[in-house]
Amino acid sequence: MPTEIAILGAGSWGTALAVHLARIGHVVRIWSVEAPVIAEMRERRANAIYLPDVLLPAPVLPTSSLEEALSGVGVVVVVVPSHAVRGVARAARPYLAPDAVLVSAAKGLELETLQRMSEVLVQESKGAHPVVAMSGPSFAVEVARELPTALSVASADLAAAERVQAEFRGRFLRLYATDDVVGVEIGGALKNVIAIAAGVAEGLGLGHNAQAALITRGLVEISRLAVAAGGRRETLAGLTGLGDLVLTCTGPYSRNRHVGIELAHGRPLGEILAAMKMVAEGVKTTEAALALGARHGVELPITEQMAAVLEGRKTPRAALEDLMLRPQRSEPEAG
């Protein structure tokens, strides 16, 4: 018997996951607050706004009703932008099946509370459901096109993580389980900030050396915060740290890299974001990451410079020059 899975969020990643899960035999109810998106998915069997040219298999059932999406479903995947996770989780709570496992596929930090997405889901579900964080190097379009992808699933509940592994595994998707939820989520959130910086370096034409330096020092920065928050350093050497960071800093589908490139070309941030169909999570995460770093007494130099650029206090070139002029230190411990 196929498992019924609910996807809350019909952006590119939510749609790609729905397509993948339907292909491997599940019935997938995909929900969105955007009624025109759901209407188009029903009528044309495609999501032309967020994932064009990918047909929805028959077992993908689009709906704009949370009750219809969630009723009796055993696995619920939350794939809305990070700033919307709390509201969606709160609205979903009355309709969750008693044995439902919640999967967070959103990457970010809640600005008001500095909570990670799994923490938001635990809080809004009143701790009644196991929560699994899913993250890793994964462009939605490549998953939808059945190109090989590997992800991490993290949970304090090993049985829940193993259940998600089993339900999501396919010929082209492999999942690795861990109990380091903090490391997985900090890596997934902060790589978007570093990708903006990498995009700035690319847009300024600073060369591959600068790109490599930013990615490497960015990994140090992310690891430092993750460890201070309770994560494990080795997690950041894996898929949700180094893997996701490299992909997001260099890949052609990276929204955050795109923001950095456009900033380097002199476009105002508001204009860049207004022209984008999808959310660049790094923009909001930058402020939250700095606040979280301050809470833990962790220095985040790249994040600090990107905050100055995003807020209009520095030009992209001045920010990158200031990073190069920082006092030289030793590796690997120092910043």
PDB file of all heavy atoms in Angstrom, residues 246-268:
ATOM      1  N   VAL A 246      29.168  24.504  -0.932  1.00  0.00           N
ATOM      2  CA  VAL A 246      29.790  24.544  -2.255  1.00  0.00           C
ATOM      3  C   VAL A 246      28.735  24.692  -3.340  1.00  0.00           C
ATOM      4  O   VAL A 246      28.867  25.514  -4.259  1.00  0.00           O
ATOM      5  CB  VAL A 246      30.647  23.288  -2.495  1.00  0.00           C
ATOM      6  CG1 VAL A 246      31.093  23.193  -3.954  1.00  0.00           C
ATOM      7  CG2 VAL A 246      31.864  23.288  -1.574  1.00  0.00           C
ATOM      8  N   LEU A 247      27.665  23.908  -3.247  1.00  0.00           N
ATOM      9  CA  LEU A 247      26.613  23.976  -4.261  1.00  0.00           C
ATOM     10  C   LEU A 247      25.988  25.370  -4.324  1.00  0.00           C
ATOM     11  O   LEU A 247      25.819  25.946  -5.406  1.00  0.00           O
ATOM     12  CB  LEU A 247      25.524  22.945  -3.954  1.00  0.00           C
ATOM     13  CG  LEU A 247      24.395  22.887  -4.989  1.00  0.00           C
ATOM     14  CD1 LEU A 247      24.858  22.206  -6.259  1.00  0.00           C
ATOM     15  CD2 LEU A 247      23.173  22.178  -4.425  1.00  0.00           C
ATOM     16  N   THR A 248      25.654  25.927  -3.168  1.00  0.00           N
ATOM     17  CA  THR A 248      24.931  27.198  -3.138  1.00  0.00           C
ATOM     18  C   THR A 248      25.818  28.370  -3.528  1.00  0.00           C
ATOM     19  O   THR A 248      25.335  29.366  -4.064  1.00  0.00           O
ATOM     20  CB  THR A 248      24.331  27.426  -1.733  1.00  0.00           C
ATOM     21  OG1 THR A 248      23.654  26.244  -1.326  1.00  0.00           O
ATOM     22  CG2 THR A 248      23.342  28.568  -1.736  1.00  0.00           C
ATOM     23  N   CYS A 249      27.107  28.250  -3.288  1.00  0.00           N
ATOM     24  CA  CYS A 249      28.034  29.324  -3.642  1.00  0.00           C
ATOM     25  C   CYS A 249      28.429  29.314  -5.113  1.00  0.00           C
ATOM     26  O   CYS A 249      28.889  30.335  -5.639  1.00  0.00           O
ATOM     27  CB  CYS A 249      29.300  29.237  -2.790  1.00  0.00           C
ATOM     28  SG  CYS A 249      29.090  29.728  -1.067  1.00  0.00           S
ATOM     29  N   THR A 250      28.284  28.167  -5.772  1.00  0.00           N
ATOM     30  CA  THR A 250      28.795  28.049  -7.143  1.00  0.00           C
ATOM     31  C   THR A 250      27.760  27.652  -8.178  1.00  0.00           C
ATOM     32  O   THR A 250      27.987  27.842  -9.375  1.00  0.00           O
ATOM     33  CB  THR A 250      29.941  27.011  -7.198  1.00  0.00           C
ATOM     34  OG1 THR A 250      29.424  25.713  -6.843  1.00  0.00           O
ATOM     35  CG2 THR A 250      31.073  27.382  -6.236  1.00  0.00           C
ATOM     36  N   GLY A 251      26.632  27.091  -7.753  1.00  0.00           N
ATOM     37  CA  GLY A 251      25.672  26.523  -8.693  1.00  0.00           C
ATOM     38  C   GLY A 251      24.840  27.562  -9.413  1.00  0.00           C
ATOM     39  O   GLY A 251      24.491  28.605  -8.853  1.00  0.00           O
ATOM     40  N   PRO A 252      24.457  27.298 -10.652  1.00  0.00           N
ATOM     41  CA  PRO A 252      23.719  28.272 -11.456  1.00  0.00           C
ATOM     42  C   PRO A 252      22.289  28.522 -11.002  1.00  0.00           C
ATOM     43  O   PRO A 252      21.691  29.532 -11.384  1.00  0.00           O
ATOM     44  CB  PRO A 252      23.739  27.650 -12.858  1.00  0.00           C
ATOM     45  CG  PRO A 252      23.883  26.179 -12.611  1.00  0.00           C
ATOM     46  CD  PRO A 252      24.757  26.066 -11.402  1.00  0.00           C
ATOM     47  N   TYR A 253      21.716  27.614 -10.190  1.00  0.00           N
ATOM     48  CA  TYR A 253      20.336  27.795  -9.737  1.00  0.00           C
ATOM     49  C   TYR A 253      20.249  28.465  -8.364  1.00  0.00           C
ATOM     50  O   TYR A 253      19.163  28.620  -7.826  1.00  0.00           O
ATOM     51  CB  TYR A 253      19.624  26.441  -9.671  1.00  0.00           C
ATOM     52  CG  TYR A 253      19.634  25.668 -10.962  1.00  0.00           C
ATOM     53  CD1 TYR A 253      20.327  24.461 -11.066  1.00  0.00           C
ATOM     54  CD2 TYR A 253      18.966  26.144 -12.090  1.00  0.00           C
ATOM     55  CE1 TYR A 253      20.345  23.744 -12.249  1.00  0.00           C
ATOM     56  CE2 TYR A 253      18.978  25.433 -13.281  1.00  0.00           C
ATOM     57  CZ  TYR A 253      19.673  24.234 -13.362  1.00  0.00           C
ATOM     58  OH  TYR A 253      19.690  23.534 -14.538  1.00  0.00           O
ATOM     59  N   SER A 254      21.376  28.873  -7.808  1.00  0.00           N
ATOM     60  CA  SER A 254      21.392  29.432  -6.457  1.00  0.00           C
ATOM     61  C   SER A 254      20.805  30.839  -6.421  1.00  0.00           C
ATOM     62  O   SER A 254      21.332  31.769  -7.042  1.00  0.00           O
ATOM     63  CB  SER A 254      22.826  29.464  -5.920  1.00  0.00           C
ATOM     64  OG  SER A 254      22.901  30.194  -4.724  1.00  0.00           O
ATOM     65  N   ARG A 255      19.728  30.999  -5.676  1.00  0.00           N
ATOM     66  CA  ARG A 255      19.092  32.308  -5.569  1.00  0.00           C
ATOM     67  C   ARG A 255      19.953  33.283  -4.769  1.00  0.00           C
ATOM     68  O   ARG A 255      20.003  34.479  -5.081  1.00  0.00           O
ATOM     69  CB  ARG A 255      17.712  32.150  -4.923  1.00  0.00           C
ATOM     70  CG  ARG A 255      16.785  31.254  -5.708  1.00  0.00           C
ATOM     71  CD  ARG A 255      15.374  31.276  -5.186  1.00  0.00           C
ATOM     72  NE  ARG A 255      15.220  30.625  -3.907  1.00  0.00           N
ATOM     73  CZ  ARG A 255      14.924  29.326  -3.746  1.00  0.00           C
ATOM     74  NH1 ARG A 255      14.830  28.547  -4.799  1.00  0.00           N
ATOM     75  NH2 ARG A 255      14.744  28.824  -2.554  1.00  0.00           N
ATOM     76  N   ASN A 256      20.605  32.790  -3.734  1.00  0.00           N
ATOM     77  CA  ASN A 256      21.416  33.669  -2.892  1.00  0.00           C
ATOM     78  C   ASN A 256      22.679  34.131  -3.621  1.00  0.00           C
ATOM     79  O   ASN A 256      23.082  35.287  -3.504  1.00  0.00           O
ATOM     80  CB  ASN A 256      21.759  32.945  -1.595  1.00  0.00           C
ATOM     81  CG  ASN A 256      20.516  32.679  -0.768  1.00  0.00           C
ATOM     82  OD1 ASN A 256      19.985  33.552  -0.113  1.00  0.00           O
ATOM     83  ND2 ASN A 256      20.015  31.448  -0.827  1.00  0.00           N
ATOM     84  N   ARG A 257      23.299  33.240  -4.360  1.00  0.00           N
ATOM     85  CA  ARG A 257      24.428  33.638  -5.212  1.00  0.00           C
ATOM     86  C   ARG A 257      23.985  34.703  -6.203  1.00  0.00           C
ATOM     87  O   ARG A 257      24.706  35.689  -6.445  1.00  0.00           O
ATOM     88  CB  ARG A 257      24.955  32.405  -5.943  1.00  0.00           C
ATOM     89  CG  ARG A 257      25.940  32.680  -7.063  1.00  0.00           C
ATOM     90  CD  ARG A 257      26.383  31.365  -7.704  1.00  0.00           C
ATOM     91  NE  ARG A 257      27.055  31.567  -8.974  1.00  0.00           N
ATOM     92  CZ  ARG A 257      26.440  31.599 -10.160  1.00  0.00           C
ATOM     93  NH1 ARG A 257      25.117  31.431 -10.225  1.00  0.00           N
ATOM     94  NH2 ARG A 257      27.126  31.788 -11.265  1.00  0.00           N
ATOM     95  N   HIS A 258      22.796  34.535  -6.777  1.00  0.00           N
ATOM     96  CA  HIS A 258      22.255  35.513  -7.721  1.00  0.00           C
ATOM     97  C   HIS A 258      22.109  36.886  -7.070  1.00  0.00           C
ATOM     98  O   HIS A 258      22.460  37.904  -7.680  1.00  0.00           O
ATOM     99  CB  HIS A 258      20.892  35.027  -8.232  1.00  0.00           C
ATOM    100  CG  HIS A 258      20.131  36.057  -9.009  1.00  0.00           C
ATOM    101  ND1 HIS A 258      20.432  36.400 -10.308  1.00  0.00           N
ATOM    102  CD2 HIS A 258      19.079  36.858  -8.648  1.00  0.00           C
ATOM    103  CE1 HIS A 258      19.597  37.346 -10.725  1.00  0.00           C
ATOM    104  NE2 HIS A 258      18.773  37.633  -9.742  1.00  0.00           N
ATOM    105  N   VAL A 259      21.610  36.908  -5.831  1.00  0.00           N
ATOM    106  CA  VAL A 259      21.480  38.189  -5.116  1.00  0.00           C
ATOM    107  C   VAL A 259      22.837  38.863  -4.992  1.00  0.00           C
ATOM    108  O   VAL A 259      22.987  40.064  -5.238  1.00  0.00           O
ATOM    109  CB  VAL A 259      20.846  37.971  -3.722  1.00  0.00           C
ATOM    110  CG1 VAL A 259      20.969  39.240  -2.870  1.00  0.00           C
ATOM    111  CG2 VAL A 259      19.383  37.593  -3.856  1.00  0.00           C
ATOM    112  N   GLY A 260      23.869  38.101  -4.611  1.00  0.00           N
ATOM    113  CA  GLY A 260      25.202  38.671  -4.471  1.00  0.00           C
ATOM    114  C   GLY A 260      25.747  39.224  -5.771  1.00  0.00           C
ATOM    115  O   GLY A 260      26.330  40.316  -5.815  1.00  0.00           O
ATOM    116  N   ILE A 261      25.560  38.470  -6.858  1.00  0.00           N
ATOM    117  CA  ILE A 261      26.034  38.934  -8.172  1.00  0.00           C
ATOM    118  C   ILE A 261      25.371  40.251  -8.545  1.00  0.00           C
ATOM    119  O   ILE A 261      26.033  41.201  -8.997  1.00  0.00           O
ATOM    120  CB  ILE A 261      25.757  37.866  -9.247  1.00  0.00           C
ATOM    121  CG1 ILE A 261      26.654  36.630  -9.024  1.00  0.00           C
ATOM    122  CG2 ILE A 261      25.978  38.431 -10.649  1.00  0.00           C
ATOM    123  CD1 ILE A 261      26.293  35.449  -9.908  1.00  0.00           C
ATOM    124  N   GLU A 262      24.057  40.326  -8.350  1.00  0.00           N
ATOM    125  CA  GLU A 262      23.323  41.543  -8.720  1.00  0.00           C
ATOM    126  C   GLU A 262      23.696  42.726  -7.825  1.00  0.00           C
ATOM    127  O   GLU A 262      23.776  43.865  -8.289  1.00  0.00           O
ATOM    128  CB  GLU A 262      21.819  41.279  -8.665  1.00  0.00           C
ATOM    129  CG  GLU A 262      21.331  40.278  -9.712  1.00  0.00           C
ATOM    130  CD  GLU A 262      21.660  40.710 -11.127  1.00  0.00           C
ATOM    131  OE1 GLU A 262      21.343  41.865 -11.476  1.00  0.00           O
ATOM    132  OE2 GLU A 262      22.267  39.914 -11.868  1.00  0.00           O
ATOM    133  N   LEU A 263      23.940  42.471  -6.554  1.00  0.00           N
ATOM    134  CA  LEU A 263      24.415  43.542  -5.670  1.00  0.00           C
ATOM    135  C   LEU A 263      25.754  44.077  -6.161  1.00  0.00           C
ATOM    136  O   LEU A 263      25.993  45.293  -6.163  1.00  0.00           O
ATOM    137  CB  LEU A 263      24.549  43.027  -4.237  1.00  0.00           C
ATOM    138  CG  LEU A 263      23.256  42.800  -3.452  1.00  0.00           C
ATOM    139  CD1 LEU A 263      23.548  42.038  -2.158  1.00  0.00           C
ATOM    140  CD2 LEU A 263      22.555  44.124  -3.137  1.00  0.00           C
ATOM    141  N   ALA A 264      26.632  43.182  -6.567  1.00  0.00           N
ATOM    142  CA  ALA A 264      27.945  43.594  -7.072  1.00  0.00           C
ATOM    143  C   ALA A 264      27.816  44.430  -8.348  1.00  0.00           C
ATOM    144  O   ALA A 264      28.655  45.301  -8.621  1.00  0.00           O
ATOM    145  CB  ALA A 264      28.809  42.367  -7.340  1.00  0.00           C
ATOM    146  N   HIS A 265      26.758  44.189  -9.111  1.00  0.00           N
ATOM    147  CA  HIS A 265      26.518  44.952 -10.336  1.00  0.00           C
ATOM    148  C   HIS A 265      25.838  46.288 -10.073  1.00  0.00           C
ATOM    149  O   HIS A 265      25.523  47.019 -11.013  1.00  0.00           O
ATOM    150  CB  HIS A 265      25.675  44.123 -11.305  1.00  0.00           C
ATOM    151  CG  HIS A 265      26.399  42.947 -11.860  1.00  0.00           C
ATOM    152  ND1 HIS A 265      25.776  41.918 -12.555  1.00  0.00           N
ATOM    153  CD2 HIS A 265      27.719  42.605 -11.841  1.00  0.00           C
ATOM    154  CE1 HIS A 265      26.681  41.018 -12.925  1.00  0.00           C
ATOM    155  NE2 HIS A 265      27.857  41.407 -12.493  1.00  0.00           N
ATOM    156  N   GLY A 266      25.572  46.582  -8.804  1.00  0.00           N
ATOM    157  CA  GLY A 266      25.037  47.891  -8.446  1.00  0.00           C
ATOM    158  C   GLY A 266      23.536  47.991  -8.355  1.00  0.00           C
ATOM    159  O   GLY A 266      22.994  49.076  -8.140  1.00  0.00           O
ATOM    160  N   ARG A 267      22.818  46.869  -8.476  1.00  0.00           N
ATOM    161  CA  ARG A 267      21.358  46.930  -8.372  1.00  0.00           C
ATOM    162  C   ARG A 267      20.928  47.025  -6.915  1.00  0.00           C
ATOM    163  O   ARG A 267      21.494  46.359  -6.040  1.00  0.00           O
ATOM    164  CB  ARG A 267      20.731  45.682  -8.999  1.00  0.00           C
ATOM    165  CG  ARG A 267      20.849  45.611 -10.511  1.00  0.00           C
ATOM    166  CD  ARG A 267      20.120  44.406 -11.038  1.00  0.00           C
ATOM    167  NE  ARG A 267      18.680  44.506 -10.852  1.00  0.00           N
ATOM    168  CZ  ARG A 267      17.837  43.482 -10.988  1.00  0.00           C
ATOM    169  NH1 ARG A 267      18.309  42.276 -11.281  1.00  0.00           N
ATOM    170  NH2 ARG A 267      16.539  43.652 -10.816  1.00  0.00           N
ATOM    171  N   PRO A 268      19.912  47.836  -6.603  1.00  0.00           N
ATOM    172  CA  PRO A 268      19.412  47.921  -5.227  1.00  0.00           C
ATOM    173  C   PRO A 268      18.778  46.605  -4.794  1.00  0.00           C
ATOM    174  O   PRO A 268      18.175  45.889  -5.610  1.00  0.00           O
ATOM    175  CB  PRO A 268      18.350  49.031  -5.305  1.00  0.00           C
ATOM    176  CG  PRO A 268      18.613  49.750  -6.582  1.00  0.00           C
ATOM    177  CD  PRO A 268      19.224  48.752  -7.515  1.00  0.00           C
TER     178      PRO A 268
END
